[in-house]
PDB file of all heavy atoms in Angstrom:
ATOM      1  N   GLY A 172     -90.590  88.181  19.400  1.00  0.00           N
ATOM      2  CA  GLY A 172     -90.861  89.100  18.305  1.00  0.00           C
ATOM      3  C   GLY A 172     -92.224  88.798  17.735  1.00  0.00           C
ATOM      4  O   GLY A 172     -92.857  87.801  18.092  1.00  0.00           O
ATOM      5  N   ASP A 173     -92.675  89.635  16.816  1.00  0.00           N
ATOM      6  CA  ASP A 173     -93.975  89.381  16.206  1.00  0.00           C
ATOM      7  C   ASP A 173     -93.833  88.994  14.740  1.00  0.00           C
ATOM      8  O   ASP A 173     -94.762  89.127  13.954  1.00  0.00           O
ATOM      9  CB  ASP A 173     -94.897  90.591  16.334  1.00  0.00           C
ATOM     10  CG  ASP A 173     -94.286  91.859  15.748  1.00  0.00           C
ATOM     11  OD1 ASP A 173     -93.171  91.789  15.229  1.00  0.00           O
ATOM     12  OD2 ASP A 173     -94.952  92.907  15.805  1.00  0.00           O
ATOM     13  N   ALA A 174     -92.636  88.485  14.369  1.00  0.00           N
ATOM     14  CA  ALA A 174     -92.398  88.053  12.995  1.00  0.00           C
ATOM     15  C   ALA A 174     -92.200  86.542  12.951  1.00  0.00           C
ATOM     16  O   ALA A 174     -91.789  85.919  13.924  1.00  0.00           O
ATOM     17  CB  ALA A 174     -91.158  88.747  12.431  1.00  0.00           C
ATOM     18  N   GLY A 175     -92.509  85.949  11.807  1.00  0.00           N
ATOM     19  CA  GLY A 175     -92.296  84.515  11.643  1.00  0.00           C
ATOM     20  C   GLY A 175     -93.389  83.692  12.288  1.00  0.00           C
ATOM     21  O   GLY A 175     -94.217  84.199  13.042  1.00  0.00           O
ATOM     22  N   PRO A 176     -93.416  82.412  12.029  1.00  0.00           N
ATOM     23  CA  PRO A 176     -94.495  81.557  12.527  1.00  0.00           C
ATOM     24  C   PRO A 176     -94.489  81.372  14.036  1.00  0.00           C
ATOM     25  O   PRO A 176     -95.514  81.084  14.637  1.00  0.00           O
ATOM     26  CB  PRO A 176     -94.246  80.228  11.811  1.00  0.00           C
ATOM     27  CG  PRO A 176     -92.781  80.235  11.495  1.00  0.00           C
ATOM     28  CD  PRO A 176     -92.453  81.670  11.193  1.00  0.00           C
ATOM     29  N   TYR A 177     -93.334  81.532  14.667  1.00  0.00           N
ATOM     30  CA  TYR A 177     -93.248  81.311  16.103  1.00  0.00           C
ATOM     31  C   TYR A 177     -92.924  82.584  16.882  1.00  0.00           C
ATOM     32  O   TYR A 177     -93.038  82.615  18.100  1.00  0.00           O
ATOM     33  CB  TYR A 177     -92.207  80.243  16.411  1.00  0.00           C
ATOM     34  CG  TYR A 177     -92.496  78.931  15.732  1.00  0.00           C
ATOM     35  CD1 TYR A 177     -91.712  78.481  14.684  1.00  0.00           C
ATOM     36  CD2 TYR A 177     -93.584  78.152  16.113  1.00  0.00           C
ATOM     37  CE1 TYR A 177     -91.996  77.278  14.040  1.00  0.00           C
ATOM     38  CE2 TYR A 177     -93.875  76.958  15.471  1.00  0.00           C
ATOM     39  CZ  TYR A 177     -93.071  76.524  14.440  1.00  0.00           C
ATOM     40  OH  TYR A 177     -93.358  75.347  13.804  1.00  0.00           O
ATOM     41  N   GLY A 178     -92.498  83.623  16.211  1.00  0.00           N
ATOM     42  CA  GLY A 178     -92.219  84.879  16.887  1.00  0.00           C
ATOM     43  C   GLY A 178     -91.060  84.819  17.860  1.00  0.00           C
ATOM     44  O   GLY A 178     -90.912  85.696  18.702  1.00  0.00           O
ATOM     45  N   TYR A 179     -90.222  83.785  17.762  1.00  0.00           N
ATOM     46  CA  TYR A 179     -89.040  83.633  18.600  1.00  0.00           C
ATOM     47  C   TYR A 179     -89.363  83.485  20.078  1.00  0.00           C
ATOM     48  O   TYR A 179     -88.474  83.591  20.922  1.00  0.00           O
ATOM     49  CB  TYR A 179     -88.075  84.816  18.423  1.00  0.00           C
ATOM     50  CG  TYR A 179     -87.830  85.214  16.992  1.00  0.00           C
ATOM     51  CD1 TYR A 179     -88.295  86.422  16.491  1.00  0.00           C
ATOM     52  CD2 TYR A 179     -87.131  84.375  16.131  1.00  0.00           C
ATOM     53  CE1 TYR A 179     -88.073  86.791  15.171  1.00  0.00           C
ATOM     54  CE2 TYR A 179     -86.904  84.734  14.806  1.00  0.00           C
ATOM     55  CZ  TYR A 179     -87.381  85.934  14.339  1.00  0.00           C
ATOM     56  OH  TYR A 179     -87.170  86.302  13.039  1.00  0.00           O
ATOM     57  N   GLY A 180     -90.601  83.279  20.433  1.00  0.00           N
ATOM     58  CA  GLY A 180     -90.977  83.187  21.834  1.00  0.00           C
ATOM     59  C   GLY A 180     -91.371  81.777  22.225  1.00  0.00           C
ATOM     60  O   GLY A 180     -91.010  80.804  21.564  1.00  0.00           O
ATOM     61  N   CYS A 181     -92.106  81.676  23.326  1.00  0.00           N
ATOM     62  CA  CYS A 181     -92.548  80.369  23.795  1.00  0.00           C
ATOM     63  C   CYS A 181     -94.062  80.204  23.652  1.00  0.00           C
ATOM     64  O   CYS A 181     -94.606  79.162  23.966  1.00  0.00           O
ATOM     65  CB  CYS A 181     -92.159  80.159  25.258  1.00  0.00           C
ATOM     66  SG  CYS A 181     -92.975  81.284  26.425  1.00  0.00           S
ATOM     67  N   GLN A 182     -94.741  81.260  23.157  1.00  0.00           N
ATOM     68  CA  GLN A 182     -96.202  81.261  23.059  1.00  0.00           C
ATOM     69  C   GLN A 182     -96.822  80.889  24.405  1.00  0.00           C
ATOM     70  O   GLN A 182     -97.756  80.088  24.496  1.00  0.00           O
ATOM     71  CB  GLN A 182     -96.700  80.323  21.954  1.00  0.00           C
ATOM     72  CG  GLN A 182     -96.323  80.770  20.547  1.00  0.00           C
ATOM     73  CD  GLN A 182     -94.902  80.404  20.166  1.00  0.00           C
ATOM     74  OE1 GLN A 182     -94.570  79.228  20.138  1.00  0.00           O
ATOM     75  NE2 GLN A 182     -94.067  81.379  19.872  1.00  0.00           N
ATOM     76  N   CYS A 183     -96.275  81.482  25.442  1.00  0.00           N
ATOM     77  CA  CYS A 183     -96.761  81.240  26.793  1.00  0.00           C
ATOM     78  C   CYS A 183     -96.809  82.574  27.543  1.00  0.00           C
ATOM     79  O   CYS A 183     -96.531  83.633  26.968  1.00  0.00           O
ATOM     80  CB  CYS A 183     -95.867  80.231  27.526  1.00  0.00           C
ATOM     81  SG  CYS A 183     -94.163  80.795  27.812  1.00  0.00           S
ATOM     82  N   ALA A 184     -97.167  82.531  28.814  1.00  0.00           N
ATOM     83  CA  ALA A 184     -97.358  83.754  29.597  1.00  0.00           C
ATOM     84  C   ALA A 184     -96.066  84.545  29.795  1.00  0.00           C
ATOM     85  O   ALA A 184     -96.104  85.710  30.206  1.00  0.00           O
ATOM     86  CB  ALA A 184     -97.954  83.398  30.952  1.00  0.00           C
ATOM     87  N   LYS A 185     -94.927  83.942  29.497  1.00  0.00           N
ATOM     88  CA  LYS A 185     -93.649  84.629  29.679  1.00  0.00           C
ATOM     89  C   LYS A 185     -93.311  85.564  28.521  1.00  0.00           C
ATOM     90  O   LYS A 185     -92.415  86.402  28.644  1.00  0.00           O
ATOM     91  CB  LYS A 185     -92.519  83.607  29.824  1.00  0.00           C
ATOM     92  CG  LYS A 185     -92.635  82.670  31.014  1.00  0.00           C
ATOM     93  CD  LYS A 185     -91.488  81.679  31.006  1.00  0.00           C
ATOM     94  CE  LYS A 185     -91.566  80.682  32.148  1.00  0.00           C
ATOM     95  NZ  LYS A 185     -90.423  79.730  32.131  1.00  0.00           N
ATOM     96  N   ASP A 186     -93.998  85.444  27.395  1.00  0.00           N
ATOM     97  CA  ASP A 186     -93.657  86.213  26.197  1.00  0.00           C
ATOM     98  C   ASP A 186     -93.900  87.705  26.369  1.00  0.00           C
ATOM     99  O   ASP A 186     -94.938  88.131  26.885  1.00  0.00           O
ATOM    100  CB  ASP A 186     -94.471  85.727  25.001  1.00  0.00           C
ATOM    101  CG  ASP A 186     -93.861  84.510  24.322  1.00  0.00           C
ATOM    102  OD1 ASP A 186     -92.732  84.128  24.686  1.00  0.00           O
ATOM    103  OD2 ASP A 186     -94.508  83.951  23.420  1.00  0.00           O
ATOM    104  N   VAL A 187     -92.929  88.496  25.892  1.00  0.00           N
ATOM    105  CA  VAL A 187     -93.073  89.942  25.777  1.00  0.00           C
ATOM    106  C   VAL A 187     -92.688  90.309  24.352  1.00  0.00           C
ATOM    107  O   VAL A 187     -91.585  89.962  23.889  1.00  0.00           O
ATOM    108  CB  VAL A 187     -92.170  90.690  26.778  1.00  0.00           C
ATOM    109  CG1 VAL A 187     -92.122  92.181  26.449  1.00  0.00           C
ATOM    110  CG2 VAL A 187     -92.667  90.484  28.202  1.00  0.00           C
ATOM    111  N   ILE A 188     -93.587  90.990  23.631  1.00  0.00           N
ATOM    112  CA  ILE A 188     -93.337  91.318  22.233  1.00  0.00           C
ATOM    113  C   ILE A 188     -92.422  92.536  22.127  1.00  0.00           C
ATOM    114  O   ILE A 188     -92.742  93.617  22.628  1.00  0.00           O
ATOM    115  CB  ILE A 188     -94.656  91.601  21.487  1.00  0.00           C
ATOM    116  CG1 ILE A 188     -95.626  90.432  21.650  1.00  0.00           C
ATOM    117  CG2 ILE A 188     -94.382  91.872  20.009  1.00  0.00           C
ATOM    118  CD1 ILE A 188     -95.100  89.120  21.123  1.00  0.00           C
ATOM    119  N   PHE A 189     -91.273  92.334  21.467  1.00  0.00           N
ATOM    120  CA  PHE A 189     -90.276  93.385  21.276  1.00  0.00           C
ATOM    121  C   PHE A 189     -90.299  93.792  19.800  1.00  0.00           C
ATOM    122  O   PHE A 189     -89.929  93.003  18.929  1.00  0.00           O
ATOM    123  CB  PHE A 189     -88.893  92.864  21.679  1.00  0.00           C
ATOM    124  CG  PHE A 189     -87.786  93.868  21.557  1.00  0.00           C
ATOM    125  CD1 PHE A 189     -87.762  94.989  22.360  1.00  0.00           C
ATOM    126  CD2 PHE A 189     -86.761  93.682  20.646  1.00  0.00           C
ATOM    127  CE1 PHE A 189     -86.736  95.922  22.265  1.00  0.00           C
ATOM    128  CE2 PHE A 189     -85.727  94.601  20.540  1.00  0.00           C
ATOM    129  CZ  PHE A 189     -85.717  95.726  21.348  1.00  0.00           C
ATOM    130  N   GLY A 190     -90.729  95.019  19.509  1.00  0.00           N
ATOM    131  CA  GLY A 190     -90.990  95.403  18.126  1.00  0.00           C
ATOM    132  C   GLY A 190     -89.998  96.343  17.489  1.00  0.00           C
ATOM    133  O   GLY A 190     -90.341  97.004  16.503  1.00  0.00           O
ATOM    134  N   ALA A 191     -88.771  96.407  17.969  1.00  0.00           N
ATOM    135  CA  ALA A 191     -87.792  97.346  17.420  1.00  0.00           C
ATOM    136  C   ALA A 191     -87.602  97.207  15.908  1.00  0.00           C
ATOM    137  O   ALA A 191     -87.506  98.226  15.205  1.00  0.00           O
ATOM    138  CB  ALA A 191     -86.460  97.191  18.136  1.00  0.00           C
ATOM    139  N   PRO A 192     -87.526  95.987  15.348  1.00  0.00           N
ATOM    140  CA  PRO A 192     -87.256  95.882  13.906  1.00  0.00           C
ATOM    141  C   PRO A 192     -88.305  96.547  13.026  1.00  0.00           C
ATOM    142  O   PRO A 192     -88.012  96.906  11.881  1.00  0.00           O
ATOM    143  CB  PRO A 192     -87.234  94.366  13.670  1.00  0.00           C
ATOM    144  CG  PRO A 192     -86.887  93.776  14.989  1.00  0.00           C
ATOM    145  CD  PRO A 192     -87.565  94.663  15.987  1.00  0.00           C
ATOM    146  N   LYS A 193     -89.513  96.723  13.532  1.00  0.00           N
ATOM    147  CA  LYS A 193     -90.581  97.291  12.712  1.00  0.00           C
ATOM    148  C   LYS A 193     -90.762  98.788  12.910  1.00  0.00           C
ATOM    149  O   LYS A 193     -91.654  99.384  12.306  1.00  0.00           O
ATOM    150  CB  LYS A 193     -91.899  96.559  12.987  1.00  0.00           C
ATOM    151  CG  LYS A 193     -91.898  95.119  12.477  1.00  0.00           C
ATOM    152  CD  LYS A 193     -93.272  94.503  12.504  1.00  0.00           C
ATOM    153  CE  LYS A 193     -93.266  93.127  11.862  1.00  0.00           C
ATOM    154  NZ  LYS A 193     -94.619  92.522  11.831  1.00  0.00           N
ATOM    155  N   ASP A 194     -89.926  99.401  13.740  1.00  0.00           N
ATOM    156  CA  ASP A 194     -90.009 100.843  13.892  1.00  0.00           C
ATOM    157  C   ASP A 194     -89.540 101.504  12.597  1.00  0.00           C
ATOM    158  O   ASP A 194     -88.658 100.997  11.908  1.00  0.00           O
ATOM    159  CB  ASP A 194     -89.160 101.317  15.071  1.00  0.00           C
ATOM    160  CG  ASP A 194     -89.631 102.648  15.606  1.00  0.00           C
ATOM    161  OD1 ASP A 194     -89.408 103.667  14.926  1.00  0.00           O
ATOM    162  OD2 ASP A 194     -90.248 102.679  16.687  1.00  0.00           O
TER     163      ASP A 194
END
Side-chain angles (χ1 to χ4, degrees):
D173 56 1
Y177 302 109
Y179 314 112
C181 65
Q182 293 81 61
C183 64
K185 299 178 182 181
D186 276 352
V187 168
I188 306 300
F189 181 66
K193 291 191 174 182
D194 203 287

